[in-house]
Amino acid sequence: ERPPPPLPPLLAWEPSIEEELYDGAGSVAASALGGAVWGALRAGARSARAARTPAWRTVVMTAAGACLFEALMRFKVLLIREPSGVLATQHQGAMAYATTCACNVAVSSQILWLIIQPPRAPYAFGGWVVGRCACLASEMVELELGLQLD
């Protein structure tokens, strides 16, 4: 009986630098666009008398906050993962992995908390969610088209 064929190295499955940059830039741009759409919806929902800030400022701040949040999330992921794409502590035991995950959630929460303060961009998270949903929908369509072509 022949042994099974060897698996390709983990780095063979990793996307190229160009793909990483394209994916990151697209995700950040989608978050900015989602932030602009969400900011426009939020600004349009308020009455002119109740608005303390101009509508254009709400749109710009929401777009900038969503864009900044996505960029910082992308940067954070680059810092904590190995070249193979897994968390750096995933193979070092349950306690190290749990600690890394807890720190990951804490850092994400603090970044979001700093961005959505009322004087900054209170609607940024909603804009980020709209942008991420658009990105995920696009990735699902690409995946489905890729599967149909195979």
Side-chain angles (χ1 to χ4, degrees):
E1 181 177 325
R2 289 187 336 189
L7 292 174
L10 286 176
L11 294 178
W13 292 324
E14 190 170 324
S16 68
I17 293 173
E18 292 84 17
E19 289 174 325
E20 285 278 341
L21 289 174
Y22 174 75
D23 185 41
S27 180
V28 170
S31 293
L33 182 62
V37 168
W38 187 253
L41 290 173
R42 294 294 300 184
R46 299 179 300 177
S47 69
R49 282 181 276 147
R52 294 181 187 171
T53 59
W56 67 267
R57 187 174 189 281
T58 301
V59 172
V60 169
M61 292 303 292
T62 303
C67 180
L68 178 65
F69 184 64
E70 178 64 17
L72 290 173
M73 292 294 104
R74 289 276 177 174
F75 183 68
K76 178 184 59 94
V77 167
L78 289 175
L79 289 179
I80 65 170
R81 76 171 192 187
E82 291 179 342
S84 63
V86 298
L87 284 177
T89 58
Q90 192 165 350
H91 302 294
Q92 297 176 358
M95 187 59 123
Y97 181 67
T99 303
T100 302
C101 288
C103 290
N104 183 10
V105 169
V107 168
S108 299
S109 299
Q110 287 304 305
I111 290 171
L112 181 61
W113 180 80
L114 287 172
I115 291 174
I116 65 170
Q117 295 299 307
R120 295 183 188 116
Y123 308 124
F125 184 71
W128 176 79
V129 169
V130 170
R132 285 304 301 153
C133 287
C135 263
L136 292 175
S138 169
E139 290 171 7
M140 294 297 288
V141 168
E142 287 177 13
L143 179 65
E144 186 175 332
L145 289 176
L147 291 175
Q148 288 177 356
L149 294 177
D150 290 341

PDB file of all heavy atoms in Angstrom, residues 66-88:
ATOM      1  N   ALA A  66     -15.575  54.469  10.612  1.00  0.00           N
ATOM      2  CA  ALA A  66     -15.699  53.094  10.127  1.00  0.00           C
ATOM      3  C   ALA A  66     -14.437  52.667   9.402  1.00  0.00           C
ATOM      4  O   ALA A  66     -13.957  51.539   9.571  1.00  0.00           O
ATOM      5  CB  ALA A  66     -16.919  52.972   9.213  1.00  0.00           C
ATOM      6  N   CYS A  67     -13.875  53.559   8.606  1.00  0.00           N
ATOM      7  CA  CYS A  67     -12.638  53.277   7.876  1.00  0.00           C
ATOM      8  C   CYS A  67     -11.481  53.049   8.850  1.00  0.00           C
ATOM      9  O   CYS A  67     -10.713  52.090   8.705  1.00  0.00           O
ATOM     10  CB  CYS A  67     -12.339  54.450   6.948  1.00  0.00           C
ATOM     11  SG  CYS A  67     -10.866  54.278   5.964  1.00  0.00           S
ATOM     12  N   LEU A  68     -11.352  53.904   9.845  1.00  0.00           N
ATOM     13  CA  LEU A  68     -10.287  53.766  10.838  1.00  0.00           C
ATOM     14  C   LEU A  68     -10.442  52.473  11.635  1.00  0.00           C
ATOM     15  O   LEU A  68      -9.457  51.770  11.890  1.00  0.00           O
ATOM     16  CB  LEU A  68     -10.291  54.976  11.775  1.00  0.00           C
ATOM     17  CG  LEU A  68      -9.258  54.958  12.896  1.00  0.00           C
ATOM     18  CD1 LEU A  68      -7.857  55.014  12.313  1.00  0.00           C
ATOM     19  CD2 LEU A  68      -9.492  56.121  13.844  1.00  0.00           C
ATOM     20  N   PHE A  69     -11.661  52.139  12.012  1.00  0.00           N
ATOM     21  CA  PHE A  69     -11.889  50.917  12.777  1.00  0.00           C
ATOM     22  C   PHE A  69     -11.480  49.689  11.964  1.00  0.00           C
ATOM     23  O   PHE A  69     -10.784  48.806  12.469  1.00  0.00           O
ATOM     24  CB  PHE A  69     -13.365  50.820  13.201  1.00  0.00           C
ATOM     25  CG  PHE A  69     -13.671  49.645  14.070  1.00  0.00           C
ATOM     26  CD1 PHE A  69     -13.108  49.530  15.325  1.00  0.00           C
ATOM     27  CD2 PHE A  69     -14.534  48.653  13.643  1.00  0.00           C
ATOM     28  CE1 PHE A  69     -13.386  48.447  16.134  1.00  0.00           C
ATOM     29  CE2 PHE A  69     -14.819  47.563  14.444  1.00  0.00           C
ATOM     30  CZ  PHE A  69     -14.248  47.461  15.699  1.00  0.00           C
ATOM     31  N   GLU A  70     -11.867  49.625  10.707  1.00  0.00           N
ATOM     32  CA  GLU A  70     -11.491  48.477   9.865  1.00  0.00           C
ATOM     33  C   GLU A  70      -9.983  48.424   9.655  1.00  0.00           C
ATOM     34  O   GLU A  70      -9.386  47.346   9.702  1.00  0.00           O
ATOM     35  CB  GLU A  70     -12.217  48.538   8.523  1.00  0.00           C
ATOM     36  CG  GLU A  70     -11.853  47.425   7.580  1.00  0.00           C
ATOM     37  CD  GLU A  70     -12.228  46.038   8.065  1.00  0.00           C
ATOM     38  OE1 GLU A  70     -13.060  45.905   8.990  1.00  0.00           O
ATOM     39  OE2 GLU A  70     -11.686  45.066   7.515  1.00  0.00           O
ATOM     40  N   ALA A  71      -9.352  49.568   9.426  1.00  0.00           N
ATOM     41  CA  ALA A  71      -7.900  49.583   9.235  1.00  0.00           C
ATOM     42  C   ALA A  71      -7.178  49.096  10.490  1.00  0.00           C
ATOM     43  O   ALA A  71      -6.223  48.307  10.402  1.00  0.00           O
ATOM     44  CB  ALA A  71      -7.444  50.993   8.864  1.00  0.00           C
ATOM     45  N   LEU A  72      -7.629  49.527  11.658  1.00  0.00           N
ATOM     46  CA  LEU A  72      -7.002  49.080  12.905  1.00  0.00           C
ATOM     47  C   LEU A  72      -7.262  47.593  13.166  1.00  0.00           C
ATOM     48  O   LEU A  72      -6.383  46.892  13.678  1.00  0.00           O
ATOM     49  CB  LEU A  72      -7.494  49.931  14.079  1.00  0.00           C
ATOM     50  CG  LEU A  72      -6.985  51.374  14.070  1.00  0.00           C
ATOM     51  CD1 LEU A  72      -7.658  52.171  15.178  1.00  0.00           C
ATOM     52  CD2 LEU A  72      -5.483  51.419  14.202  1.00  0.00           C
ATOM     53  N   MET A  73      -8.431  47.094  12.796  1.00  0.00           N
ATOM     54  CA  MET A  73      -8.706  45.658  12.952  1.00  0.00           C
ATOM     55  C   MET A  73      -7.793  44.836  12.041  1.00  0.00           C
ATOM     56  O   MET A  73      -7.269  43.808  12.442  1.00  0.00           O
ATOM     57  CB  MET A  73     -10.173  45.336  12.632  1.00  0.00           C
ATOM     58  CG  MET A  73     -11.179  45.881  13.618  1.00  0.00           C
ATOM     59  SD  MET A  73     -11.034  45.136  15.240  1.00  0.00           S
ATOM     60  CE  MET A  73     -10.229  46.432  16.118  1.00  0.00           C
ATOM     61  N   ARG A  74      -7.596  45.306  10.818  1.00  0.00           N
ATOM     62  CA  ARG A  74      -6.692  44.624   9.887  1.00  0.00           C
ATOM     63  C   ARG A  74      -5.267  44.618  10.422  1.00  0.00           C
ATOM     64  O   ARG A  74      -4.569  43.617  10.362  1.00  0.00           O
ATOM     65  CB  ARG A  74      -6.716  45.305   8.520  1.00  0.00           C
ATOM     66  CG  ARG A  74      -7.965  45.111   7.763  1.00  0.00           C
ATOM     67  CD  ARG A  74      -7.882  43.820   7.049  1.00  0.00           C
ATOM     68  NE  ARG A  74      -9.114  43.557   6.345  1.00  0.00           N
ATOM     69  CZ  ARG A  74      -9.269  42.550   5.538  1.00  0.00           C
ATOM     70  NH1 ARG A  74      -8.283  41.732   5.313  1.00  0.00           N
ATOM     71  NH2 ARG A  74     -10.417  42.342   4.967  1.00  0.00           N
ATOM     72  N   PHE A  75      -4.825  45.756  10.952  1.00  0.00           N
ATOM     73  CA  PHE A  75      -3.479  45.855  11.503  1.00  0.00           C
ATOM     74  C   PHE A  75      -3.316  44.943  12.710  1.00  0.00           C
ATOM     75  O   PHE A  75      -2.291  44.275  12.858  1.00  0.00           O
ATOM     76  CB  PHE A  75      -3.183  47.309  11.872  1.00  0.00           C
ATOM     77  CG  PHE A  75      -1.796  47.525  12.385  1.00  0.00           C
ATOM     78  CD1 PHE A  75      -0.708  47.374  11.550  1.00  0.00           C
ATOM     79  CD2 PHE A  75      -1.584  47.865  13.707  1.00  0.00           C
ATOM     80  CE1 PHE A  75       0.581  47.570  12.021  1.00  0.00           C
ATOM     81  CE2 PHE A  75      -0.308  48.059  14.195  1.00  0.00           C
ATOM     82  CZ  PHE A  75       0.790  47.910  13.347  1.00  0.00           C
ATOM     83  N   LYS A  76      -4.329  44.886  13.558  1.00  0.00           N
ATOM     84  CA  LYS A  76      -4.271  44.036  14.746  1.00  0.00           C
ATOM     85  C   LYS A  76      -4.130  42.566  14.354  1.00  0.00           C
ATOM     86  O   LYS A  76      -3.342  41.824  14.947  1.00  0.00           O
ATOM     87  CB  LYS A  76      -5.522  44.232  15.592  1.00  0.00           C
ATOM     88  CG  LYS A  76      -5.599  43.367  16.824  1.00  0.00           C
ATOM     89  CD  LYS A  76      -6.903  43.551  17.544  1.00  0.00           C
ATOM     90  CE  LYS A  76      -8.068  43.230  16.685  1.00  0.00           C
ATOM     91  NZ  LYS A  76      -8.618  41.914  16.742  1.00  0.00           N
ATOM     92  N   VAL A  77      -4.861  42.141  13.335  1.00  0.00           N
ATOM     93  CA  VAL A  77      -4.778  40.750  12.878  1.00  0.00           C
ATOM     94  C   VAL A  77      -3.375  40.443  12.362  1.00  0.00           C
ATOM     95  O   VAL A  77      -2.840  39.367  12.614  1.00  0.00           O
ATOM     96  CB  VAL A  77      -5.848  40.475  11.797  1.00  0.00           C
ATOM     97  CG1 VAL A  77      -5.595  39.171  11.086  1.00  0.00           C
ATOM     98  CG2 VAL A  77      -7.228  40.467  12.420  1.00  0.00           C
ATOM     99  N   LEU A  78      -2.771  41.385  11.658  1.00  0.00           N
ATOM    100  CA  LEU A  78      -1.412  41.168  11.168  1.00  0.00           C
ATOM    101  C   LEU A  78      -0.416  41.012  12.308  1.00  0.00           C
ATOM    102  O   LEU A  78       0.562  40.283  12.188  1.00  0.00           O
ATOM    103  CB  LEU A  78      -0.983  42.318  10.264  1.00  0.00           C
ATOM    104  CG  LEU A  78      -1.651  42.388   8.904  1.00  0.00           C
ATOM    105  CD1 LEU A  78      -1.211  43.639   8.171  1.00  0.00           C
ATOM    106  CD2 LEU A  78      -1.343  41.153   8.084  1.00  0.00           C
ATOM    107  N   LEU A  79      -0.662  41.695  13.411  1.00  0.00           N
ATOM    108  CA  LEU A  79       0.265  41.629  14.543  1.00  0.00           C
ATOM    109  C   LEU A  79       0.193  40.310  15.301  1.00  0.00           C
ATOM    110  O   LEU A  79       1.208  39.847  15.818  1.00  0.00           O
ATOM    111  CB  LEU A  79      -0.016  42.778  15.521  1.00  0.00           C
ATOM    112  CG  LEU A  79       0.351  44.165  15.054  1.00  0.00           C
ATOM    113  CD1 LEU A  79      -0.023  45.184  16.123  1.00  0.00           C
ATOM    114  CD2 LEU A  79       1.827  44.263  14.733  1.00  0.00           C
ATOM    115  N   ILE A  80      -0.981  39.692  15.378  1.00  0.00           N
ATOM    116  CA  ILE A  80      -1.121  38.521  16.253  1.00  0.00           C
ATOM    117  C   ILE A  80      -1.104  37.188  15.536  1.00  0.00           C
ATOM    118  O   ILE A  80      -1.185  36.161  16.174  1.00  0.00           O
ATOM    119  CB  ILE A  80      -2.400  38.604  17.114  1.00  0.00           C
ATOM    120  CG1 ILE A  80      -3.649  38.544  16.251  1.00  0.00           C
ATOM    121  CG2 ILE A  80      -2.390  39.809  18.010  1.00  0.00           C
ATOM    122  CD1 ILE A  80      -4.920  38.377  17.038  1.00  0.00           C
ATOM    123  N   ARG A  81      -0.982  37.177  14.219  1.00  0.00           N
ATOM    124  CA  ARG A  81      -0.992  35.890  13.551  1.00  0.00           C
ATOM    125  C   ARG A  81       0.382  35.538  12.995  1.00  0.00           C
ATOM    126  O   ARG A  81       1.202  36.399  12.717  1.00  0.00           O
ATOM    127  CB  ARG A  81      -2.035  35.846  12.460  1.00  0.00           C
ATOM    128  CG  ARG A  81      -1.663  36.568  11.234  1.00  0.00           C
ATOM    129  CD  ARG A  81      -2.631  36.321  10.130  1.00  0.00           C
ATOM    130  NE  ARG A  81      -1.984  36.859   8.937  1.00  0.00           N
ATOM    131  CZ  ARG A  81      -2.532  36.964   7.792  1.00  0.00           C
ATOM    132  NH1 ARG A  81      -3.755  36.561   7.613  1.00  0.00           N
ATOM    133  NH2 ARG A  81      -1.889  37.466   6.782  1.00  0.00           N
ATOM    134  N   GLU A  82       0.584  34.249  12.832  1.00  0.00           N
ATOM    135  CA  GLU A  82       1.815  33.745  12.239  1.00  0.00           C
ATOM    136  C   GLU A  82       1.708  33.811  10.726  1.00  0.00           C
ATOM    137  O   GLU A  82       0.625  34.025  10.184  1.00  0.00           O
ATOM    138  CB  GLU A  82       2.019  32.294  12.669  1.00  0.00           C
ATOM    139  CG  GLU A  82       2.340  32.120  14.133  1.00  0.00           C
ATOM    140  CD  GLU A  82       2.515  30.663  14.501  1.00  0.00           C
ATOM    141  OE1 GLU A  82       2.080  29.784  13.744  1.00  0.00           O
ATOM    142  OE2 GLU A  82       3.094  30.419  15.560  1.00  0.00           O
ATOM    143  N   PRO A  83       2.805  33.591  10.017  1.00  0.00           N
ATOM    144  CA  PRO A  83       2.724  33.580   8.553  1.00  0.00           C
ATOM    145  C   PRO A  83       1.753  32.530   8.006  1.00  0.00           C
ATOM    146  O   PRO A  83       1.206  32.698   6.932  1.00  0.00           O
ATOM    147  CB  PRO A  83       4.161  33.265   8.128  1.00  0.00           C
ATOM    148  CG  PRO A  83       5.000  33.734   9.249  1.00  0.00           C
ATOM    149  CD  PRO A  83       4.176  33.522  10.482  1.00  0.00           C
ATOM    150  N   SER A  84       1.502  31.468   8.757  1.00  0.00           N
ATOM    151  CA  SER A  84       0.586  30.433   8.271  1.00  0.00           C
ATOM    152  C   SER A  84      -0.872  30.834   8.406  1.00  0.00           C
ATOM    153  O   SER A  84      -1.751  30.127   7.949  1.00  0.00           O
ATOM    154  CB  SER A  84       0.828  29.134   9.029  1.00  0.00           C
ATOM    155  OG  SER A  84       0.540  29.309  10.396  1.00  0.00           O
ATOM    156  N   GLY A  85      -1.145  31.974   9.049  1.00  0.00           N
ATOM    157  CA  GLY A  85      -2.511  32.455   9.156  1.00  0.00           C
ATOM    158  C   GLY A  85      -3.204  32.108  10.457  1.00  0.00           C
ATOM    159  O   GLY A  85      -4.324  32.523  10.689  1.00  0.00           O
ATOM    160  N   VAL A  86      -2.575  31.338  11.339  1.00  0.00           N
ATOM    161  CA  VAL A  86      -3.200  30.985  12.610  1.00  0.00           C
ATOM    162  C   VAL A  86      -2.705  31.932  13.694  1.00  0.00           C
ATOM    163  O   VAL A  86      -1.695  32.611  13.535  1.00  0.00           O
ATOM    164  CB  VAL A  86      -2.884  29.515  13.015  1.00  0.00           C
ATOM    165  CG1 VAL A  86      -3.425  28.564  11.990  1.00  0.00           C
ATOM    166  CG2 VAL A  86      -1.409  29.305  13.209  1.00  0.00           C
ATOM    167  N   LEU A  87      -3.427  31.973  14.794  1.00  0.00           N
ATOM    168  CA  LEU A  87      -2.978  32.790  15.917  1.00  0.00           C
ATOM    169  C   LEU A  87      -1.642  32.269  16.416  1.00  0.00           C
ATOM    170  O   LEU A  87      -1.396  31.066  16.435  1.00  0.00           O
ATOM    171  CB  LEU A  87      -3.996  32.738  17.054  1.00  0.00           C
ATOM    172  CG  LEU A  87      -5.257  33.554  16.860  1.00  0.00           C
ATOM    173  CD1 LEU A  87      -6.202  33.344  18.026  1.00  0.00           C
ATOM    174  CD2 LEU A  87      -4.951  35.026  16.714  1.00  0.00           C
ATOM    175  N   ALA A  88      -0.785  33.173  16.832  1.00  0.00           N
ATOM    176  CA  ALA A  88       0.566  32.802  17.227  1.00  0.00           C
ATOM    177  C   ALA A  88       0.595  31.816  18.397  1.00  0.00           C
ATOM    178  O   ALA A  88       1.506  31.018  18.506  1.00  0.00           O
ATOM    179  CB  ALA A  88       1.363  34.058  17.568  1.00  0.00           C
TER     180      ALA A  88
END
